[in-house]
Amino acid sequence: MSTPNTSTVGVSKTYTTLQAWENAADAQSGVDGHAAQWAECYSGGDLGSMVLAGWTNPDSTDYPRIFAADGEGHDGTDGVDNDVAYASATGTHVIDIQEAFVRVENLKIEDKQGNKNCIKTVSPNCQVLGCLFVNSGSVSLGFNQGWAIEHVVT
């Protein structure tokens, strides 16, 4: 595994939205051994929606990872948004993954309209670990083959 390039995402961080991080990180994936691009997410504001696409050959050792920083993850309840690292959207999927081997960990993810997925993908070998899905509709996770889903609260 190459050394991950970890960027911070949140209010007053390197990037203020997940999409801004993704736009920069996909251009760096596979450059100079930095296929592993990680987004360390912080509380304080909505991280927004994101389409993760256009990366250079992510694999099981060099992969995109989106995770709540230590002490910034949810507690399993739908509490105050700004107290935890969270992403939300209205009218679009919150996190739309179009690459393999992506990991999403310990975020609160909310579909504010209730008719889209909190996380959507058709890509294989992705992992969703410890996330809290808040969705007023009937669908929280749209996925295809090869997914690992653990400790997810809906």
Side-chain angles (χ1 to χ4, degrees):
M1 174 180 189
S2 66
T3 300
N5 181 24
T6 303
S7 298
T8 58
V9 182
V11 176
S12 301
K13 301 298 180 193
T14 305
Y15 301 100
T16 57
T17 67
L18 287 172
Q19 191 62 61
W21 166 78
E22 195 280 340
N23 291 344
D26 70 3
Q28 293 299 312
S29 66
V31 175
D32 296 328
H34 288 292
Q37 299 288 322
W38 292 5
E40 182 177 57
C41 300
Y42 288 84
S43 62
D46 189 351
L47 303 174
S49 63
M50 173 188 69
V51 176
L52 196 146
W55 291 59
T56 303
N57 302 321
D59 60 31
S60 62
T61 58
D62 291 313
Y63 49 84
R65 179 180 178 220
I66 304 159
F67 64 100
D70 287 344
E72 302 288 315
H74 65 85
D75 65 0
T77 64
D78 183 17
V80 178
D81 286 343
N82 288 343
D83 289 345
V84 298
Y86 80 101
S88 71
T90 300
T92 184
H93 303 297
V94 183
I95 298 177
D96 186 347
I97 298 171
Q98 299 177 12
E99 298 290 345
F101 298 103
V102 176
R103 293 185 187 182
V104 181
E105 303 170 17
N106 300 317
L107 293 178
K108 175 182 174 182
I109 304 170
E110 181 174 6
D111 169 23
K112 291 193 177 277
Q113 189 170 339
N115 64 353
K116 298 293 183 180
N117 294 312
C118 290
I119 296 180
K120 176 201 168 273
T121 188
V122 294
S123 300
N125 302 311
C126 295
Q127 296 182 26
V128 176
L129 308 171
C131 290
L132 171 64
F133 294 149
V134 179
N135 186 312
S136 59
S138 61
V139 179
S140 292
L141 182 62
F143 65 95
N144 204 348
Q145 73 282 354
W147 268 71
I149 302 166
E150 298 178 7
H151 308 293
V152 172
V153 181
T154 58

